[in-house]
Amino acid sequence: MGLLGLFFITLPCFILVSGQVGYSIPEEMPRGSFVGDISQDLGLDVKRLKSGKAHIYTGNNAEYIELDKEKGILLIKNRVDREAICAQTAPCALNFQVILENPMEFYSITVEVTDVNDNTPIFKKGEMKFRISESAVTGTAFVLEQAIDLDVGKNGLQSYLLYPMDNFRLKLQNQVDGGKMVEMILEKPLDREKKDRLSLVLTAVDGGEPQLSGSVQIHVNVLDSNDNAPVFTQKVYKSSVREESPVGTVVIKVSAIDSDEGSNAKISYEILNSVDDASEIFKINKETGEIQLAGNTDYERKRQYQLHVQAGDEGGLTDSCKVNLEIIDTNDNTPAINIMSKSTVVSEDVPSGTVVTIINTLDPDSGENGKVQCKIKRDIPFSISTTSNNFFSIVTDSQLDRETESEYNITVTCSDEGVPSLSSSVTLILQISDVNDNPPVFERSSYEAHIVENNTPGVSIFTVKATDADWNQNARVSYILEDTSVNGVPVSSYVSISADSGVIHAVRSFDYEQIKDFQFSVKAQDGGSPPLSSNVTVKILIQDQNDNPPQVLYPVQTGGSMVAEMVPRSADVGYLVTKVVAVDVDSGQNAWLSYKLQKATDRALFEVGLQNGEIRTIRQVTDKDAVKQRLTVIVEDNGQPSRSATVIVNVMVADSFPEVMSEFIDFPHDKEYNDNLTFYLVLALVVVSFLFITCLVVIISVKIYRWKQSRILYQSNLPVIPYYPPRYSDTLGTGTLPHVYNYEVCRTTDSRKSDSKFGIAGSQNVLIMDPSSTGTMQRIQNEKSILDEPDSPLEQKPPNNDWRFTQGQRPGPSGPHMPYGTHIRWTPKNGTRATGGPEVAMGTGPWPQPPTEAEQLQALMAAANEVSEATATLGPGTMGLSTRYSPQFTLQHVPDYRQNVYIPGSTATLTSNPQQQQATAQQATQQALPPPQASAQAEPPKAAQTPASKKKSTKKEKK
C-alpha cells in the first residue's frame, strides 16, 4: 500500500519510525469490533496519543480501521470485504500508519484479512451446448466452462461433479495461476439413433464450512460422424503487448488444422470464458484466429493474462490451446503526492532546520519509471530532503520574518526517472504566525501643530499616527500622554489624547498673552505581550487672535480731573501739540496701530499722524480760533475684525497760563455717551415701532366701525320722506340768487390761490315723489354721482356779476340766515384762518367763525330726534328717511346763526329774500310732498354744514 501525506509542525522534530505491528482479522466483522491494542503493543501511553493528536493515515485508500485515542485500541470503522479489497490476492492485508505530532512519529500497522466462505461458486453462462458426432472416439475431451469462486484457499473452488455419467466423465487439470481446467471425456460412444440429445448437470463445489456449490446445464446434440477433429499447431502460445496499446491491436494469431474436407474441415475459433476479465479485454476473429485488444490493459492492475482458445469444425470436433499474454510496463503514471497533515501555520521565530512539512510520494510504475525525486524553488527560505523510502521532509533553512513575507506558497515538484519523465506538483500554503518583534513607529520624528487662542475646550488640535508592522493584537496601537509638566502644571491639564485614534484635544482655552507654546511627549504602545512602545515629541504653538483692544497710555483719561494741552497763538504750521501713545498686547498685525482724528472742534486746525499719533497744527493759529479745542482721537489695530479705543484731547489756544485758567473752569468734560447712544437709539426704535403699530390698529378699528355703520344705514327699510327746509326752496327762480347753485368757497391769505366750486343745480337733488315711479334710491344716488363729476355736461357755470348786492343790502351779524347750501372750506396757512384779500370789500359784521365741536354735536342730536319722530309717524307706502338724512342733508340744511357769506372777488354779501323763499317753499311743498296722511311734520331748519361735518359727509358718500 502506498502512503501519501503532508504534515505541518511549529517545533523542531525528528522523523522516527519506531516500529511495526501486525494483526489478523476475518472479513465481514461488524463495525466497532476490536482489532488490536496499539498502546500496549507499541508501548505508547494513552496520554501521549492524546497530546500527539494521534491519527491514522491511509493515503488514498479507504479507511477501514479507526483509532480510539481514549483507550489506545484499533476498531473496525467500515465493512471489510476481502474480495473487494484484494480480489484473488493472498494473503490480503491492510497497511496504514499511526502518526503522532510534537514530536512527530509514525508507526506502520499491518492488519491481515482472512477469508470467510461467503461466496458461492458460479458459472457465467446459465448453460453450455455441445454438438458431438456419434462417431466421436472414446477419450475425446471437451473443455467445459470453469466456475468462479471469489473466495481463496480452502474456501475457493475445490472440485466438480458431473451427473449423469453414462457417457462422459470429468477430468481436472491444474493451471499455473492456481485454477483448474475442466474437461468432459467421452467414455462411451454415442449413438444418435438411440438418443440424439443428452442433458447433463455440472456442479462446482468449494471446500469451505459450510460447503457451497453452483451448477450449470450441459446440452449435447448428437451428430453424424466426423472422422477428424481440428488440431492446433501449438498447445501453448506466448506473446506480449504494451499496456497503452490502442484498441484493435493484434496481439497474436492461433491456428488449427482439420484433415476433413468440406464443411467438416471448416474451423471456427472462440475464447472460452475464464476466471478473470480476459474475455472483456481480448477478442478473437472466429475465422482467422487473430487475437485483438478489445479494451485497455494496465500493467499496474494486471501484468499477465492466460487465454483458452477452442477450435471446432462443422462436425462438432474441437481442439483447445493456451495463450499466455504478458503486459509490458510503460511510464504512464505521474508520481502521486499525498499530504500527511493539514496544519498550515508556523511561528516566525522558529529556529532554522525546523521541519514544517512531510510528504509521501508513490509512482505505480515499475523500475526506473517508478523512481521519484522531489524539489522546491530556491528563492524561499525552505529546503527539501529525503528521510526514508518515498518520504520527504521540508525544513526551514533561514530565519522567517512575517513582516517581510506573511505567507509562503511552497510548490513541491516530484518527477520520475522514466523516458519521457513524468512529474506532478502540489502547492502548500504556509501561514507565518506573528510574534511581537516590532515596536510602533511614528510617521514623523517630531510633530508641530498650531491652534488659535480663545479656542473652545475639547476642540481637536492635531492627530499623531503610528504604525506597527506586526499583525492583529500585536499591531493594535494605543496612544498615551507622557507625564510631563508645562510651567509647573501637568500637561494633562492642557491637552488630552484619544487612546485609539491619536487625536489630541485641547482641555482648556489657551491665551496667547499667557503662553505662546509648549511641548510634550506621546507614547505609542502596541498590544503584544510583552508590549513594545516608542515616543515622539509634540510641540503646540498658540496663534494670536485679535482679542485685545488698544490701550491708551497718554494722555491719561481720569474721571475726576481734566488735562489740557496748551498751544500758543503764535504756533506755526506743523506745531507739535502732543502725542497720543497707545499699545496693544496682541502680536503681529493685530498690534499694528493707526491713529485717526474722529471729531474736532476745528478739523482745519489739527491733524493726527497715522502711524505715530502726533497731533500737529495744519495751519497758522489765528485770533479767531476758539480758546477751547476738543479733539477725539480713535486708535485702531490691524486685526480682523479690528478693535479700537478713543481718547479725548483737550487743547487750549492761549499765550499765558492765567488766560488758560480763566477758561479752564468752563471747559466741558467729556461724557461717556458712546455707550448710552446705543441704548437711546434702541429705545427710540422700540417707541416708534410701538406707536406705529398702535396707530395702525386704531385706524383699522375706525375703518371697520364706520363700514359697519354705513352697512346698517344702507340696509334700513325706513321710508324716505322728502323734506324742504323753510325758505330753502325757490321753484320760481325769481330771487336774486337762485337756489339751484351750491358753492364751496376756499380762502387763503393769497387770493390767487383761492378757489370756488360751483355745485350742480339744486333742483337735481330734489326727489320727485311719483307713485308710479319704480326707481330705487340706489339708482338715484348713482345718477347723482354721475352729475357730480367735473366733466359732466350738466355742470352749471358760475353766476355772473348781475346778482351782486350793494353795500347797504349786506346783512349784519343779526341778519337772516343763509338761504342756500353754501360750503365753506377753511384753509389754514401759518397757523391762522384764511381771510379775504385786499380786493374783497368787507362787511360790517365780523368774519363768520366755523362751528365748534359742541355745535356740531348739538346739530347731530337734533337730527337724530327728527329721525325718531318721523319714524313714529310713518305709514306703509312711504319712502324711507335715508334720502333726507343722507350725508347731503345732514348739516348743510341746519340753520347757521352766522348770516353773512362773502363771495371771493365780489363786493356783494349773500342774504336771504324772505318773501321769495316763502313762495318757493310753498310751491316745492305742493309738488314734492306726499298726501297729508303720509307726510311728516315739518322739521326746523338745520345749521349750515361746517368743515368738519363736510369731511364726514364726504367719507360716507365714498363708502
Side-chain angles (χ1 to χ4, degrees), residues 659-731:
E659 184 180 357
V660 174
M661 291 300 296
S662 63
E663 299 291 341
F664 188 75
I665 58 176
D666 298 331
F667 207 106
H669 290 279
D670 182 34
K671 297 182 180 179
E672 298 294 335
Y673 64 90
N674 290 332
D675 295 336
N676 295 333
L677 179 60
T678 302
F679 172 76
Y680 293 141
L681 289 176
V682 174
L683 182 61
L685 180 61
V686 172
V687 172
V688 169
S689 301
F690 176 79
L691 292 178
F692 171 78
I693 296 174
T694 303
C695 293
L696 189 62
V697 172
V698 171
I699 291 172
I700 294 174
S701 301
V702 171
K703 292 287 186 181
I704 295 174
Y705 173 77
R706 288 181 178 178
W707 177 77
K708 289 182 177 180
Q709 292 298 325
S710 65
R711 296 291 294 175
I712 295 174
L713 186 59
Y714 291 155
Q715 296 175 2
S716 175
N717 295 323
L718 295 176
V720 177
I721 301 175
Y723 169 74
Y724 299 94
R727 296 153 37 190
Y728 274 70
S729 298
D730 186 6
T731 59

Side-chain angles (χ1 to χ4, degrees), residues 126-142:
E127 62 179 4
M128 290 183 285
K129 295 181 179 182
F130 291 92
R131 299 174 65 190
I132 304 174
S133 175
E134 63 179 343
S135 61
V137 296
T138 304
T140 302
F142 300 92

Side-chain angles (χ1 to χ4, degrees), residues 549-552 582 594 598 633-637 643-647:
Q551 298 178 2
V552 179
S594 60
Q598 187 179 33
V633 179
I634 183 171
V635 184
E636 292 184 345
D637 57 24
R643 293 178 176 269
S644 62
T646 58
V647 60

Side-chain angles (χ1 to χ4, degrees), residues 147-181:
I148 299 174
D149 192 339
L150 297 180
D151 294 328
V152 295
K154 66 177 183 178
N155 294 326
L157 184 62
Q158 298 295 325
S159 62
Y160 293 90
L161 299 175
L162 183 62
Y163 181 81
M165 299 181 63
D166 297 338
N167 298 96
F168 299 94
R169 65 178 179 85
L170 291 178
K171 180 181 179 181
L172 301 179
Q173 293 184 5
N174 295 325
Q175 298 183 12
V176 178
D177 57 359
K180 296 180 180 293
M181 186 178 68

Side-chain angles (χ1 to χ4, degrees), residues 7 87 151 221 382-383 523 605 666 671 690 693 725 745 779:
F7 185 62
D151 294 328
N221 290 331
F382 300 96
S383 61
K523 181 173 71 173
L605 183 56
D666 298 331
K671 297 182 180 179
F690 176 79
I693 296 174
V745 181
R779 180 178 63 81

Side-chain angles (χ1 to χ4, degrees), residues 447-670:
Y447 291 90
E448 188 174 286
H450 299 78
I451 185 173
V452 180
E453 65 171 332
N454 302 320
N455 59 284
T456 303
V459 70
S460 173
I461 302 177
F462 192 68
T463 301
V464 296
K465 182 68 175 178
T467 57
D468 196 316
D470 292 325
W471 182 74
N472 205 356
Q473 184 67 26
N474 296 330
R476 184 173 299 172
V477 179
S478 300
Y479 301 93
I480 304 171
L481 199 64
E482 290 288 280
D483 293 334
T484 57
S485 61
V486 177
N487 298 331
V489 179
V491 71
S492 59
S493 64
Y494 286 89
V495 294
S496 64
I497 189 169
S498 175
D500 296 329
S501 62
V503 178
I504 299 175
H505 299 272
V507 176
R508 62 168 65 178
S509 180
F510 298 111
D511 188 357
Y512 176 81
E513 287 71 35
Q514 294 182 1
I515 181 172
K516 293 180 174 54
D517 61 76
F518 62 94
Q519 64 181 17
F520 54 91
S521 295
V522 175
K523 181 173 71 173
Q525 180 175 290
D526 59 24
S529 179
L532 302 178
S533 63
S534 60
N535 292 2
V536 70
T537 301
V538 180
K539 185 176 182 180
I540 305 295
L541 301 176
I542 313 299
Q543 292 182 346
D544 183 39
Q545 194 178 39
N546 191 24
D547 57 342
N548 294 284
Q551 298 178 2
V552 179
L553 302 181
Y554 183 83
V556 180
Q557 302 293 303
T558 60
S561 62
M562 181 181 62
V563 178
E565 304 291 340
M566 189 172 67
V567 177
R569 295 187 181 273
S570 59
D572 295 331
V573 176
Y575 178 81
L576 178 62
V577 179
T578 185
K579 182 177 182 179
V580 178
V581 180
V583 295
D584 195 324
V585 296
D586 294 325
S587 64
Q589 66 176 7
N590 295 330
W592 297 351
L593 302 180
S594 60
Y595 304 83
K596 298 177 183 178
L597 186 60
Q598 187 179 33
K599 293 190 300 181
T601 304
D602 188 356
R603 280 186 171 272
L605 183 56
F606 300 100
E607 68 175 357
V608 179
L610 181 64
Q611 303 298 333
N612 53 23
E614 294 179 350
I615 302 177
R616 295 180 181 272
T617 59
I618 57 178
R619 64 174 175 82
Q620 182 69 39
V621 180
T622 63
D623 294 338
K624 295 181 179 180
D625 294 329
V627 176
K628 296 179 290 184
Q629 297 286 339
R630 181 188 182 90
L631 308 179
T632 301
V633 179
I634 183 171
V635 184
E636 292 184 345
D637 57 24
N638 198 32
Q640 291 296 332
S642 63
R643 293 178 176 269
S644 62
T646 58
V647 60
I648 306 299
V649 179
N650 299 315
V651 179
M652 302 298 295
V653 180
D655 291 329
S656 61
F657 186 72
E659 184 180 357
V660 174
M661 291 300 296
S662 63
E663 299 291 341
F664 188 75
I665 58 176
D666 298 331
F667 207 106
H669 290 279
D670 182 34

Side-chain angles (χ1 to χ4, degrees), residues 42 120 124 131 184 199 208 269 373 473 733 739 777 784:
L42 296 176
T120 301
K124 284 189 176 182
R131 299 174 65 190
M184 184 174 61
S199 295
Y269 302 92
Q373 296 294 332
Q473 184 67 26
H739 75 280
M777 192 65 191
K784 174 184 177 299

Side-chain angles (χ1 to χ4, degrees), residues 357-369:
T357 305
I358 295 179
I359 61 174
N360 171 249
T361 62
L362 178 64
D363 192 330
D365 294 328
S366 61
E368 297 296 326
N369 296 333

